[in-house]
Amino acid sequence: MKSFTIVEINELLKGELVGTCDEQITGAEQLERATAQQITFIGSNKFAKLWETSKASVAIVDAKIKLEPGDNRALIRVKNADLAMATLLEALEPAPPALEEDVHPTAVVHESVVLGKGCKIGAGCYVGKNVVLGDGVILYPNVSIFDDSKIGHHTVVWSGTVIRERSEIGNHCIFHINVSIGADGFGYRPSDDGRGLVKIPHIGNVIIGNYVEIGANSCVDRGKFSATIIGDGCKIDNLVQIAHNCILGRSCIMAGHSGLAGSVTLGDGVIIGGSASIKDHTTINSGAVIGAGSGVMGDVDAGKTVLGYPATDARDMLKQWVALKRLSKN
């Protein structure tokens, strides 16, 4: 178990230490649940009142919040408590599971595969023909990488993930458990005789940039003609659907249960809340925010926040909800 003194933590965070505490800090926890050996954080005045009753010995605190440390307790004042806590959690994080062999004896790796330096391939993996794995790639047990795919340096792929043929993955990506990359898009047309549905082939691929993280059980479908593209730095939550030929700009965020229909385009820095649904062939421009549970039926301007079903300007939608609530009381 890792442990740190408050002085060591303050040096790591480059904060301002207020108060003294002789406890060794071995973990982090919420204010209400923390013990004397744990550090907590306070990023809002809303939670500052909980410090008095918390058992935590140390709190990382936004500099703008006025608090006193108390007896044998300390505060570390920083510019941004959320970012400081992220830095500390990296230091506290246990080491990931280690793969002892470079290539486990039960893995199936085609003779044409190109392996970079320091690659690790776990038990039960399948790596197909002409696959290229960059330096330091880790495939945890039971990952499948199909033919002609390329994975950049230091990308980590967790168990159960399937990366279909011709996919192109960047550097420093993380794919969590059971991610699907490059499955067929959802495309069907009624048959000429009207007695069934004809499957539309999807012959494109998926291209994913650098520093992309995709959560467990999320799916990115291949393009119909060209590519489905995920830009650098995008962060995708669990249980997210990204359909064929979608294009995501840089540093987009999609929360759990949200979904993009086919050929949706997101600009840079778009945020999509949980369970939001985006209609096909829609463009959401850079910096726009889609509220949780919303249904987007048309294009969204840059920097705009929309809410509701169908989604509209968030302020207008909130006014509508207030008006309806007043009407319901009459």
Side-chain angles (χ1 to χ4, degrees), residues 152-157 169-175 208-213:
H153 304 313
H154 306 293
T155 285
V156 177
V157 185
I169 314 298
N171 304 321
H172 299 281
C173 294
I174 302 172
F175 296 163
I208 295 178
N210 304 317
Y211 294 95
V212 172
E213 185 165 358

Side-chain angles (χ1 to χ4, degrees), residues 94-113:
L99 300 179
E100 295 181 357
E101 298 99 344
D102 288 344
V103 179
H104 193 276
T106 63
V108 177
V109 179
H110 193 273
E111 62 183 8
S112 62
V113 170

Side-chain angles (χ1 to χ4, degrees), residues 42-175:
I42 305 171
S44 166
N45 279 311
K46 177 181 177 181
F47 303 103
K49 61 185 179 182
L50 299 175
W51 172 242
E52 186 176 346
T53 56
S54 175
K55 295 181 180 178
S57 296
V58 189
I60 299 170
V61 183
D62 267 15
K64 61 187 178 184
I65 297 175
K66 295 181 179 180
L67 275 179
E68 294 300 322
D71 187 34
N72 196 31
R73 305 176 86 194
L75 301 174
I76 298 176
R77 299 191 185 279
V78 294
K79 184 177 180 180
N80 187 311
D82 286 326
L83 293 178
M85 179 56 80
T87 299
L88 178 58
L89 289 175
E90 287 182 6
L92 289 169
E93 185 178 17
L99 300 179
E100 295 181 357
E101 298 99 344
D102 288 344
V103 179
H104 193 276
T106 63
V108 177
V109 179
H110 193 273
E111 62 183 8
S112 62
V113 170
V114 177
L115 297 179
K117 296 178 181 178
C119 284
K120 297 283 187 178
I121 300 177
C125 288
Y126 172 81
V127 185
K129 184 169 61 175
N130 297 325
V131 168
V132 177
L133 302 183
D135 297 345
V137 168
I138 298 176
L139 307 182
Y140 280 101
N142 301 314
V143 166
S144 295
I145 314 291
F146 286 90
D147 299 0
D148 301 307
S149 293
K150 298 178 181 179
I151 299 180
H153 304 313
H154 306 293
T155 285
V156 177
V157 185
W158 285 90
S159 297
T161 292
V162 177
I163 298 175
R164 287 280 301 272
E165 60 275 17
R166 303 189 308 280
S167 296
E168 299 178 24
I169 314 298
N171 304 321
H172 299 281
C173 294
I174 302 172
F175 296 163

Side-chain angles (χ1 to χ4, degrees), residues 253-285:
I253 295 174
M254 293 185 64
H257 288 180
S258 61
L260 308 181
S263 299
V264 169
T265 299
L266 305 185
D268 296 338
V270 170
I271 298 174
I272 297 181
S275 298
S277 301
I278 316 299
K279 180 183 176 294
D280 61 290
H281 297 276
T282 298
T283 297
I284 300 176
N285 288 285

